[in-house]
Short mmCIF file of all heavy atoms in Angstrom, two decimals:
data_model
loop_
_atom_site.label_atom_id
_atom_site.label_comp_id
_atom_site.label_asym_id
_atom_site.label_seq_id
_atom_site.Cartn_x
_atom_site.Cartn_y
_atom_site.Cartn_z
N SER A 111 24.49 197.61 64.89
CA SER A 111 25.49 196.85 65.64
C SER A 111 25.23 196.90 67.14
O SER A 111 25.49 195.92 67.86
CB SER A 111 26.90 197.36 65.33
OG SER A 111 27.05 198.71 65.77
N VAL A 112 24.70 198.01 67.63
CA VAL A 112 24.35 198.11 69.05
C VAL A 112 23.27 197.09 69.38
O VAL A 112 23.33 196.37 70.38
CB VAL A 112 23.86 199.53 69.39
CG1 VAL A 112 23.36 199.60 70.84
CG2 VAL A 112 24.95 200.55 69.16
N LEU A 113 22.29 197.01 68.51
CA LEU A 113 21.17 196.10 68.71
C LEU A 113 21.62 194.64 68.66
O LEU A 113 21.24 193.82 69.50
CB LEU A 113 20.11 196.37 67.64
CG LEU A 113 18.67 195.94 67.90
CD1 LEU A 113 18.12 196.58 69.16
CD2 LEU A 113 17.80 196.31 66.70
N TYR A 114 22.45 194.31 67.69
CA TYR A 114 22.95 192.93 67.57
C TYR A 114 23.83 192.56 68.76
O TYR A 114 23.77 191.44 69.26
CB TYR A 114 23.73 192.76 66.27
CG TYR A 114 22.86 192.53 65.07
CD1 TYR A 114 22.70 193.51 64.09
CD2 TYR A 114 22.17 191.32 64.89
CE1 TYR A 114 21.89 193.30 62.98
CE2 TYR A 114 21.37 191.10 63.79
CZ TYR A 114 21.23 192.10 62.83
OH TYR A 114 20.42 191.89 61.74
N THR A 115 24.64 193.51 69.22
CA THR A 115 25.51 193.24 70.36
C THR A 115 24.70 192.92 71.61
O THR A 115 25.05 192.02 72.38
CB THR A 115 26.42 194.45 70.63
OG1 THR A 115 27.27 194.66 69.50
CG2 THR A 115 27.27 194.22 71.88
N MET A 116 23.60 193.64 71.78
CA MET A 116 22.82 193.48 73.01
C MET A 116 21.85 192.30 72.95
O MET A 116 21.65 191.60 73.96
CB MET A 116 22.05 194.77 73.31
CG MET A 116 21.37 194.77 74.66
SD MET A 116 21.15 196.42 75.35
CE MET A 116 22.85 196.90 75.70
N PHE A 117 21.27 192.03 71.77
CA PHE A 117 20.22 191.02 71.69
C PHE A 117 20.51 189.86 70.74
O PHE A 117 19.81 188.85 70.78
CB PHE A 117 18.89 191.66 71.28
CG PHE A 117 18.36 192.64 72.29
CD1 PHE A 117 18.44 194.01 72.06
CD2 PHE A 117 17.82 192.21 73.49
CE1 PHE A 117 17.96 194.91 72.98
CE2 PHE A 117 17.34 193.11 74.42
CZ PHE A 117 17.41 194.47 74.17
N GLY A 118 21.51 189.99 69.90
CA GLY A 118 21.88 188.90 69.01
C GLY A 118 21.06 188.81 67.74
O GLY A 118 21.53 188.33 66.72
N GLY A 119 19.83 189.27 67.77
CA GLY A 119 18.95 189.19 66.61
C GLY A 119 17.51 189.39 67.03
O GLY A 119 17.21 189.65 68.21
N LYS A 120 16.59 189.24 66.08
CA LYS A 120 15.17 189.48 66.37
C LYS A 120 14.62 188.56 67.45
O LYS A 120 13.85 189.02 68.31
CB LYS A 120 14.37 189.33 65.08
CG LYS A 120 12.89 189.65 65.25
CD LYS A 120 12.15 189.60 63.93
CE LYS A 120 10.65 189.83 64.11
NZ LYS A 120 9.92 189.83 62.82
N PRO A 121 14.99 187.25 67.49
CA PRO A 121 14.49 186.41 68.58
C PRO A 121 14.91 186.94 69.96
O PRO A 121 14.15 186.84 70.92
CB PRO A 121 15.10 185.04 68.28
CG PRO A 121 15.31 185.04 66.80
CD PRO A 121 15.71 186.45 66.48
N GLY A 122 16.13 187.48 70.02
CA GLY A 122 16.59 188.04 71.29
C GLY A 122 15.81 189.28 71.67
O GLY A 122 15.56 189.53 72.86
N VAL A 123 15.41 190.07 70.68
CA VAL A 123 14.58 191.25 70.96
C VAL A 123 13.22 190.81 71.50
O VAL A 123 12.72 191.37 72.47
CB VAL A 123 14.40 192.11 69.69
CG1 VAL A 123 13.38 193.22 69.94
CG2 VAL A 123 15.73 192.71 69.25
N ALA A 124 12.64 189.79 70.87
CA ALA A 124 11.34 189.29 71.32
C ALA A 124 11.41 188.80 72.76
O ALA A 124 10.54 189.12 73.58
CB ALA A 124 10.86 188.17 70.40
N GLU A 125 12.47 188.05 73.08
CA GLU A 125 12.60 187.58 74.46
C GLU A 125 12.89 188.73 75.41
O GLU A 125 12.44 188.74 76.56
CB GLU A 125 13.69 186.51 74.57
CG GLU A 125 13.85 186.00 76.00
CD GLU A 125 14.30 184.56 76.08
OE1 GLU A 125 13.63 183.69 75.47
OE2 GLU A 125 15.32 184.31 76.75
N GLY A 126 13.61 189.73 74.91
CA GLY A 126 13.87 190.90 75.74
C GLY A 126 12.58 191.63 76.09
O GLY A 126 12.40 192.09 77.22
N LEU A 127 11.66 191.74 75.13
CA LEU A 127 10.37 192.37 75.39
C LEU A 127 9.58 191.57 76.43
O LEU A 127 8.96 192.13 77.34
CB LEU A 127 9.57 192.47 74.10
CG LEU A 127 10.07 193.50 73.07
CD1 LEU A 127 9.38 193.29 71.73
CD2 LEU A 127 9.84 194.93 73.57
N TRP A 128 9.61 190.25 76.29
CA TRP A 128 8.92 189.37 77.25
C TRP A 128 9.48 189.56 78.66
O TRP A 128 8.75 189.77 79.62
CB TRP A 128 9.10 187.92 76.78
CG TRP A 128 8.84 186.85 77.78
CD1 TRP A 128 9.69 186.42 78.75
CD2 TRP A 128 7.65 186.06 77.93
NE1 TRP A 128 9.13 185.39 79.46
CE2 TRP A 128 7.88 185.15 78.99
CE3 TRP A 128 6.43 186.01 77.26
CZ2 TRP A 128 6.93 184.22 79.40
CZ3 TRP A 128 5.49 185.08 77.66
CH2 TRP A 128 5.73 184.20 78.71
N ARG A 129 10.81 189.49 78.77
CA ARG A 129 11.45 189.63 80.09
C ARG A 129 11.19 191.01 80.69
O ARG A 129 10.90 191.14 81.89
CB ARG A 129 12.95 189.39 79.97
CG ARG A 129 13.36 187.93 79.80
CD ARG A 129 14.87 187.84 79.71
NE ARG A 129 15.36 186.48 79.66
CZ ARG A 129 15.65 185.72 80.72
NH1 ARG A 129 15.47 186.22 81.93
NH2 ARG A 129 16.11 184.50 80.57
N GLU A 130 11.30 192.04 79.87
CA GLU A 130 11.11 193.40 80.36
C GLU A 130 9.68 193.60 80.85
O GLU A 130 9.45 194.25 81.88
CB GLU A 130 11.43 194.41 79.26
CG GLU A 130 11.25 195.87 79.66
CD GLU A 130 12.25 196.37 80.70
OE1 GLU A 130 13.27 195.69 80.92
OE2 GLU A 130 12.00 197.45 81.29
N GLY A 131 8.71 193.05 80.12
CA GLY A 131 7.33 193.18 80.54
C GLY A 131 7.08 192.57 81.91
O GLY A 131 6.48 193.20 82.80
N PHE A 132 7.57 191.36 82.11
CA PHE A 132 7.36 190.71 83.41
C PHE A 132 8.21 191.36 84.51
O PHE A 132 7.81 191.37 85.67
CB PHE A 132 7.65 189.22 83.31
CG PHE A 132 6.49 188.44 82.76
CD1 PHE A 132 6.51 187.98 81.45
CD2 PHE A 132 5.38 188.17 83.53
CE1 PHE A 132 5.44 187.27 80.92
CE2 PHE A 132 4.30 187.46 83.02
CZ PHE A 132 4.32 187.02 81.71
N ASP A 133 9.36 191.90 84.13
CA ASP A 133 10.19 192.58 85.12
C ASP A 133 9.52 193.86 85.60
O ASP A 133 9.55 194.19 86.79
CB ASP A 133 11.57 192.88 84.53
CG ASP A 133 12.57 193.26 85.61
OD1 ASP A 133 12.69 192.53 86.61
OD2 ASP A 133 13.25 194.31 85.45
N ARG A 134 8.88 194.59 84.67
CA ARG A 134 8.15 195.80 85.08
C ARG A 134 6.98 195.44 85.98
O ARG A 134 6.71 196.16 86.96
CB ARG A 134 7.67 196.55 83.84
CG ARG A 134 8.80 197.18 83.05
CD ARG A 134 8.31 198.04 81.91
NE ARG A 134 9.42 198.54 81.12
CZ ARG A 134 9.34 199.51 80.23
NH1 ARG A 134 8.18 200.10 79.99
NH2 ARG A 134 10.40 199.90 79.54
N LEU A 135 6.29 194.36 85.67
CA LEU A 135 5.19 193.93 86.52
C LEU A 135 5.70 193.54 87.90
O LEU A 135 5.12 193.92 88.93
CB LEU A 135 4.46 192.76 85.87
CG LEU A 135 3.34 192.12 86.69
CD1 LEU A 135 2.27 193.14 87.06
CD2 LEU A 135 2.73 190.95 85.93
N ARG A 136 6.81 192.80 87.95
CA ARG A 136 7.38 192.41 89.24
C ARG A 136 7.74 193.63 90.07
O ARG A 136 7.41 193.70 91.27
CB ARG A 136 8.62 191.54 89.02
CG ARG A 136 9.36 191.18 90.31
CD ARG A 136 10.68 190.52 90.02
NE ARG A 136 11.57 191.33 89.21
CZ ARG A 136 12.29 192.35 89.67
NH1 ARG A 136 12.22 192.70 90.95
NH2 ARG A 136 13.09 193.02 88.86
N ARG A 137 8.40 194.60 89.45
CA ARG A 137 8.81 195.79 90.20
C ARG A 137 7.61 196.57 90.70
O ARG A 137 7.61 197.09 91.82
CB ARG A 137 9.70 196.68 89.32
CG ARG A 137 11.05 196.05 88.96
CD ARG A 137 12.05 197.10 88.50
NE ARG A 137 11.57 197.88 87.39
CZ ARG A 137 11.78 197.58 86.10
NH1 ARG A 137 12.47 196.48 85.78
NH2 ARG A 137 11.33 198.36 85.14
N ALA A 138 6.56 196.65 89.88
CA ALA A 138 5.35 197.35 90.31
C ALA A 138 4.72 196.67 91.52
O ALA A 138 4.25 197.33 92.45
CB ALA A 138 4.35 197.42 89.15
N MET A 139 4.72 195.34 91.50
CA MET A 139 4.12 194.61 92.61
C MET A 139 4.99 194.67 93.86
O MET A 139 4.48 194.71 94.99
CB MET A 139 3.86 193.16 92.19
CG MET A 139 2.80 193.05 91.09
SD MET A 139 2.56 191.37 90.45
CE MET A 139 1.65 190.62 91.81
N GLU A 140 6.30 194.70 93.68
CA GLU A 140 7.20 194.79 94.83
C GLU A 140 7.11 196.16 95.52
O GLU A 140 7.44 196.26 96.71
CB GLU A 140 8.64 194.53 94.39
CG GLU A 140 8.94 193.07 94.08
CD GLU A 140 10.35 192.83 93.62
OE1 GLU A 140 11.03 193.81 93.21
OE2 GLU A 140 10.79 191.67 93.65
N ARG A 141 6.67 197.16 94.81
CA ARG A 141 6.55 198.50 95.41
C ARG A 141 5.29 198.64 96.28
O ARG A 141 5.15 199.64 96.99
CB ARG A 141 6.53 199.57 94.32
CG ARG A 141 7.89 199.81 93.66
CD ARG A 141 7.89 201.08 92.84
NE ARG A 141 7.02 200.98 91.68
CZ ARG A 141 7.41 200.56 90.48
NH1 ARG A 141 8.67 200.20 90.30
NH2 ARG A 141 6.56 200.52 89.47
N VAL A 142 4.40 197.68 96.22
CA VAL A 142 3.15 197.76 96.97
C VAL A 142 3.42 197.70 98.47
O VAL A 142 4.18 196.85 98.94
CB VAL A 142 2.21 196.61 96.56
CG1 VAL A 142 1.08 196.43 97.57
CG2 VAL A 142 1.64 196.86 95.18
N GLU A 143 2.81 198.61 99.20
CA GLU A 143 2.91 198.62 100.66
C GLU A 143 1.50 198.68 101.24
O GLU A 143 0.65 199.41 100.74
CB GLU A 143 3.72 199.82 101.14
CG GLU A 143 5.19 199.78 100.69
CD GLU A 143 5.97 200.96 101.21
OE1 GLU A 143 5.35 201.81 101.92
OE2 GLU A 143 7.18 201.06 100.93
N ALA A 144 1.25 197.93 102.26
CA ALA A 144 -0.06 197.93 102.92
C ALA A 144 0.09 197.48 104.36
O ALA A 144 1.04 196.77 104.70
CB ALA A 144 -1.04 197.01 102.18
N ASP A 145 -0.83 197.91 105.20
CA ASP A 145 -0.75 197.61 106.62
C ASP A 145 -1.37 196.28 107.00
O ASP A 145 -1.15 195.78 108.10
CB ASP A 145 -1.42 198.73 107.44
CG ASP A 145 -0.69 200.06 107.30
OD1 ASP A 145 0.55 200.02 107.10
OD2 ASP A 145 -1.34 201.11 107.38
N ASP A 146 -2.20 195.72 106.13
CA ASP A 146 -2.86 194.47 106.47
C ASP A 146 -2.85 193.55 105.25
O ASP A 146 -2.69 194.00 104.11
CB ASP A 146 -4.30 194.73 106.91
CG ASP A 146 -5.14 195.34 105.80
OD1 ASP A 146 -5.05 196.56 105.59
OD2 ASP A 146 -5.86 194.59 105.12
N PRO A 147 -3.00 192.23 105.46
CA PRO A 147 -2.89 191.26 104.36
C PRO A 147 -3.89 191.49 103.24
O PRO A 147 -3.53 191.44 102.06
CB PRO A 147 -3.13 189.92 105.06
CG PRO A 147 -2.72 190.14 106.48
CD PRO A 147 -3.13 191.55 106.77
N LEU A 148 -5.16 191.74 103.56
CA LEU A 148 -6.15 191.95 102.51
C LEU A 148 -5.90 193.26 101.77
O LEU A 148 -6.09 193.34 100.55
CB LEU A 148 -7.56 191.95 103.11
CG LEU A 148 -8.71 191.98 102.09
CD1 LEU A 148 -8.62 190.79 101.13
CD2 LEU A 148 -10.06 192.01 102.80
N GLY A 149 -5.43 194.26 102.49
CA GLY A 149 -5.09 195.53 101.84
C GLY A 149 -3.94 195.36 100.86
O GLY A 149 -3.94 195.96 99.78
N ARG A 150 -2.98 194.52 101.23
CA ARG A 150 -1.87 194.25 100.31
C ARG A 150 -2.37 193.54 99.06
O ARG A 150 -1.97 193.88 97.94
CB ARG A 150 -0.81 193.39 101.01
CG ARG A 150 0.40 193.12 100.11
CD ARG A 150 1.35 192.10 100.72
NE ARG A 150 2.46 191.83 99.81
CZ ARG A 150 3.16 190.70 99.80
NH1 ARG A 150 2.85 189.72 100.65
NH2 ARG A 150 4.14 190.52 98.95
N LEU A 151 -3.25 192.57 99.24
CA LEU A 151 -3.77 191.83 98.10
C LEU A 151 -4.54 192.76 97.16
O LEU A 151 -4.39 192.69 95.94
CB LEU A 151 -4.68 190.71 98.60
CG LEU A 151 -5.04 189.62 97.61
CD1 LEU A 151 -3.79 188.88 97.14
CD2 LEU A 151 -6.03 188.64 98.24
N THR A 152 -5.35 193.64 97.73
CA THR A 152 -6.10 194.60 96.92
C THR A 152 -5.16 195.54 96.17
O THR A 152 -5.36 195.81 94.97
CB THR A 152 -7.04 195.43 97.82
OG1 THR A 152 -7.94 194.55 98.49
CG2 THR A 152 -7.82 196.45 97.02
#
Side-chain angles (χ1 to χ4, degrees):
S111 64
V112 174
L113 202 58
Y114 279 109
T115 297
M116 188 153 292
F117 295 105
K120 184 175 176 178
V123 172
E125 180 149 306
L127 289 168
W128 163 280
R129 285 181 175 272
E130 179 68 15
F132 278 103
D133 194 50
R134 291 186 184 194
L135 176 57
R136 175 189 58 78
R137 294 199 304 268
M139 294 175 74
E140 286 179 343
R141 287 193 293 269
V142 165
E143 295 182 359
D145 295 330
D146 63 279
L148 188 58
R150 182 189 178 206
L151 195 62
T152 300

